[in-house]
């Protein structure tokens, strides 16, 4: 059976980042990337709806080790996909990717100190086994085959087309159509201005409003610095500026929710046409950052509203009708097309199951260690980015940390690293977001402890200290030598 030192699952932003870090920081290690799809890019290859773009800035969504050279701060899906592909090529990790390999399960053997990974070839149906010493799940956080789509009464009566943004039809033409977009998250606010360019009218139909903030599509500091400094010198400056600004606004929102609400309200008010019913459509019942804040580049959504190309309806759907949607208030929205921007289905670990020495692992019974490993699970990383800042900030930290850990195992003659749960247990949720897609799946996710190193900070500045400079052999981690004792006691050199 083929053996590699490290097996990475997924060739999205996180998986390619993990591969580049390994190549640079663990030069002697062999590794493979198994990817179930036929392309690099993950999210940025899957989603193809009009206008698909990042809603956090590319100077922090880009890798720390490879500058984002475009002056656009909010980039479209194709540009992000190219950036990931170019990174894989530049760091020479492309040839390590095996496409069409969906990882189904992994079994750890303590006696051999290795994982046996089972994958299914999505093109031929063949089963493939690979063994590895370290397994890194860079498989994102949601189901690829199916988005979240609640059932609506009367759906069968609707005479038009219903589309979920996760499965966008390539040949869709919005010209002259009346479109209702159900949702108020990042996808809905992206779709509305983009569809409105050609459609007769677009209505964003939301049950609950979101906080929506306009951000310059191009970063003025980046624009200025690019005339003064080489890209490599300018990139970290803009990156750190953005880290500090977003962290400061997040902290301000959590500590002073009333004041943050007022700031956001004032900013929104300035962008809306006179007489617009802000209290109904832009006044969420929750505090800023209880759910992810939506960013729109250069106020594109508000511009569409000002021009009358789009409108917002806030209310609960009673049923679909032959002609469109009827709300509980009795209001009717006629439509040729209904787009259900109703979200994602969370899927921890890309759907793979884990066993340790024959015993199944239930992730919901584990406590996460530094937001990247699971208690009782040796040599295994689960790469999940931030929910309150750019995903890659955290993924980069985790991928570097894994390299440190692997080098530490080699230097000290250990074969495995296994986190332990805190003595008091862990009962905090893994993700601190009230968003529907998170709440629907919290029960399947690991728990968090209430203190370091079992608490995920969701704060890049604190995590840099913890992950780059913090000790590897803290109270949450145990190390084992070859032929380890059955328990995961701390091995002493
Ligand atoms: C529409 C949309 C917009 C977003 N915008 C932002 C944003 O602006 N900023 C931000 O920080 N985050 C954003 N996110 C979150 C986004 O997912 C991350 O930015 C980032 O792309 C995640 O990268 P990843 O590699 O961890 O996961 P993914 O991009 O999901 O890639 C995972 C890869 O793993 C593969 N895979 C999964 N399971 C298996 C398996 N069992 N076997 C083999 N391969 C497997 C998948 O096919 C995929 O290629 C957005 C998400 C969505 C859906």
């Amino acid at each position: 059976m083929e053996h590699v030192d490290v097996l990475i699952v997924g060739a999205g932003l996180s998986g390619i980042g993990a591969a580049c870090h390994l190549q640079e920081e663990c030069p002697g290690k062999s590794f493979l990337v198994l990817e179930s799809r036929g392309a690099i890019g993950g999210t940025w290859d899957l989603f193809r709806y009009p206008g698909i773009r990042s809603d956090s800035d590319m100077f922090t969504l880009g890798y720390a080790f490879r500058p984002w050279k475009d002056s656009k701060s909010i980039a479209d899906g194709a540009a992000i996909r190219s950036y990931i592909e170019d990174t894989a090529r530049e760091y020479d990790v492309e040839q390590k990717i095996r496409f069409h390999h969906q990882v189904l399960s992994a079994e750890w053997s303590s006696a051999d100190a290795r994982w046996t990974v089972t994958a299914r070839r999505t093109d031929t149906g063949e089963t493939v086994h690979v063994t590895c010493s370290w397994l890194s799940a860079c498989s994102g956080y949601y189901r690829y085959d199916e988005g979240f789509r609640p059932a609506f009464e009367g759906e069968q009566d609707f005479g038009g087309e219903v589309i979920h943004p996760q499965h966008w039809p390539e040949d869709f033409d919005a010209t002259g159509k009346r479109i209702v977009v159900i949702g108020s998250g990042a996808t809905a606010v992206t779709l509305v201005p983009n569809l409105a360019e050609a459609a007769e009218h677009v209505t964003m139909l939301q049950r609950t409003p979101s906080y929506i903030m306009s951000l310059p599509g191009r970063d003025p500091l980046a624009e200025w610095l690019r005339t003064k400094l080489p890209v490599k010198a300018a990139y970290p400056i803009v990156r750190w500026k953005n880290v500090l600004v977003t962290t400061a606004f997040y902290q301000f929102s959590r500590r002073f929710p009333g004041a943050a609400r007022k700031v956001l309200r004032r900013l929104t008010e300035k962008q809306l046409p006179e007489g617009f019913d802000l209290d109904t459509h832009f006044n969420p019942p929750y505090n800023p950052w209880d759910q992810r804040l939506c960013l729109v580049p250069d106020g594109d959504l508000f511009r569409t509203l000002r021009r009358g190309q789009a409108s917002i309806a806030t209310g609960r759907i009673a049923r679909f009708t032959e002609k469109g949607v009827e709300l509980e208030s009795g209001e009717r929205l006629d439509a040729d097309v209904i787009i259900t921007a109703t979200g994602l289905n969370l899927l921890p670990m890309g759907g793979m199951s884990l066993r340790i020495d024959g015993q199944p692992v239930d992730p919901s019974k584990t406590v996460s260690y530094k937001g990247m490993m699971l208690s009782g699970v040796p040599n295994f990383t689960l790469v999940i980015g931030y929910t309150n800042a750019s995903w890659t900030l955290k993924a980069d930290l985790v991928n570097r940390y894994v390299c440190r850990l692997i080098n530490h195992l080699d230097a000290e003659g250990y074969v495995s690293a296994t986190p332990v749960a805190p003595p008091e247990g862990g009962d905090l949720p893994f993700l601190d977001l009230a968003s529907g897609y998170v709440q629907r799946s919290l029960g399947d996710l690991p728990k968090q402890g209430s203190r370091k190193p079992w608490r995920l900070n969701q704060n890049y500045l604190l995590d840099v200290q913890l992950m780059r400079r913090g000790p590897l052999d803290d109270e949450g981690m145990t190390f084992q030598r070859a032929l380890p004792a059955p328990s995961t006691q701390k091995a002493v050199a």
Side-chain angles (χ1 to χ4, degrees):
M1 202 183 299
E2 185 177 8
H3 178 79
V4 284
D5 292 316
V6 183
L7 187 81
I8 297 165
V9 182
L13 253 178
S14 306
I16 296 301
C20 296
H21 278 289
L22 273 170
Q23 187 91 304
E24 296 294 297
E25 288 148 51
C26 302
K29 295 288 172 195
S30 58
F31 67 91
L32 268 184
V33 183
L34 296 190
E35 165 56 57
S36 57
R37 308 181 75 241
I40 291 179
T43 299
W44 306 104
D45 183 58
L46 175 75
F47 279 85
R48 299 290 178 132
Y49 58 77
I52 168 75
R53 66 187 181 214
S54 65
D55 68 347
S56 60
D57 73 276
M58 285 310 298
F59 299 94
T60 55
L61 191 60
Y63 301 112
F65 59 83
R66 185 168 181 268
W68 171 255
K69 294 181 183 149
D70 201 318
S71 63
K72 265 194 190 170
S73 175
I74 301 289
D76 59 47
I80 304 174
R81 194 165 62 241
S82 299
Y83 171 77
I84 304 172
E85 285 166 350
D86 293 347
T87 307
R89 206 167 303 125
E90 197 176 304
Y91 279 74
D92 206 21
V93 298
E94 242 183 342
Q95 82 280 4
K96 307 276 184 173
I97 307 170
R98 299 226 177 123
F99 293 108
H100 303 294
H101 282 67
Q102 182 185 21
V103 176
L104 304 175
S105 61
E107 162 111 35
W108 172 260
S109 157
S110 297
D112 303 324
R114 53 176 60 174
W115 291 97
T116 301
V117 174
T118 303
R120 184 182 66 90
R121 287 201 60 150
T122 51
D123 49 354
T124 61
E126 191 190 337
T127 300
V128 178
H129 299 287
V130 181
T131 61
C132 61
S133 305
W134 193 284
L135 179 61
S136 202
C138 297
S139 42
Y141 64 109
Y142 62 87
R143 272 180 74 160
Y144 268 65
D145 57 340
E146 201 176 84
F148 178 67
R149 161 92 156 71
F152 298 102
E153 206 185 311
E155 274 181 51
Q156 64 291 347
D157 300 337
F158 179 57
E161 197 178 357
V162 181
I163 301 172
H164 193 287
Q166 196 162 327
H167 306 283
W168 196 263
E170 251 177 65
D171 55 354
F172 179 77
D173 182 6
T175 309
K177 296 198 169 119
R178 296 161 305 164
I179 303 176
V180 169
V181 178
I182 302 175
S184 59
T187 300
V189 304
T190 301
L191 274 168
V192 170
N194 281 284
L195 292 172
E197 293 295 320
E200 184 186 314
H201 189 79
V202 181
T203 308
M204 183 165 111
L205 170 55
Q206 54 181 16
R207 192 173 52 188
T208 316
S210 302
Y211 289 103
I212 298 174
M213 194 169 154
S214 174
L215 203 78
R218 289 176 191 273
D219 189 301
L221 177 65
E223 299 257 89
W224 182 73
L225 282 178
R226 70 173 40 235
T227 63
K228 311 274 172 218
L229 293 175
V231 144
K232 276 213 157 148
Y235 183 59
I237 300 176
V238 183
R239 188 174 166 88
W240 272 105
K241 184 267 291 175
N242 288 358
V243 164
L244 294 173
V245 169
T246 47
T247 307
F249 188 69
Y250 178 80
Q251 293 300 335
F252 169 69
S253 301
R254 301 316 282 166
R255 284 169 203 207
F256 310 104
R261 231 172 210 283
K262 276 189 196 149
V263 170
L264 289 169
R265 188 185 166 92
R266 214 167 303 133
L267 291 173
T268 306
E269 211 166 15
K270 276 192 195 160
Q271 303 259 0
L272 289 170
E274 213 167 295
F276 195 92
D277 187 356
L278 187 144
D279 283 320
T280 303
H281 304 307
F282 284 101
N283 190 20
Y286 54 85
N287 285 325
W289 276 114
D290 280 353
Q291 298 191 17
R292 214 179 148 100
L293 203 86
C294 282
L295 295 179
V296 292
D298 302 315
D300 63 357
L301 174 76
F302 299 112
R303 194 170 54 242
T304 310
L305 292 172
R306 284 198 301 273
R307 289 179 182 161
Q309 295 165 302
S311 51
I312 301 187
T314 303
R316 300 182 78 91
I317 295 173
R319 65 187 63 78
F320 282 18
T321 64
E322 195 195 334
K323 290 186 170 169
V325 184
E326 188 178 318
L327 305 189
E328 284 179 0
S329 63
E331 187 181 352
R332 283 166 177 264
L333 303 169
D334 287 351
D336 304 305
V337 183
I338 297 176
I339 295 167
T340 51
T342 40
L344 306 163
N345 280 313
L346 242 71
L347 182 68
M349 307 196 305
M352 40 171 173
S353 60
L354 301 181
R355 294 175 84 85
I356 297 176
D357 297 325
Q359 295 303 309
V361 175
D362 177 351
S364 70
K365 301 269 179 344
T366 65
V367 181
S368 109
Y369 169 81
K370 293 181 178 165
M372 57 169 276
M373 290 178 80
L374 306 182
S375 61
V377 184
N379 292 15
F380 174 77
T381 344
L382 176 61
V383 180
I384 298 282
Y386 289 126
T387 50
N388 64 347
S390 279
W391 180 276
T392 320
L393 290 172
K394 173 87 190 298
D396 255 355
L397 286 178
V398 170
N399 287 331
R400 275 183 75 162
Y401 193 91
V402 170
C403 293
R404 275 181 74 201
L405 258 180
I406 290 174
N407 289 336
H408 180 73
L409 294 183
D410 280 359
E412 301 295 326
Y414 296 127
V415 292
S416 57
T418 313
V420 288
E424 69 277 15
D427 53 9
L428 294 176
F430 186 65
L431 297 174
D432 181 23
L433 271 188
S435 312
Y437 70 96
V438 173
Q439 293 301 315
R440 281 194 296 277
S441 305
L442 269 184
D444 302 331
L445 297 175
K447 304 287 176 289
Q448 283 196 83
S450 53
R451 64 191 169 93
K452 234 173 27 180
W454 296 280
R455 181 117 174 90
L456 182 74
N457 286 311
Q458 292 284 352
N459 181 324
Y460 184 65
L461 301 172
L462 294 177
D463 286 343
V464 164
Q465 295 297 323
L466 185 71
M467 310 284 277
R468 288 224 185 123
R469 285 178 268 282
L472 296 166
D473 57 350
D474 56 29
E475 60 170 320
M477 185 59 82
T478 62
F479 294 99
Q480 297 79 38
R481 298 194 183 281
L483 298 177
S487 69
T488 52
Q489 287 164 6
K490 194 153 200 153
V492 185

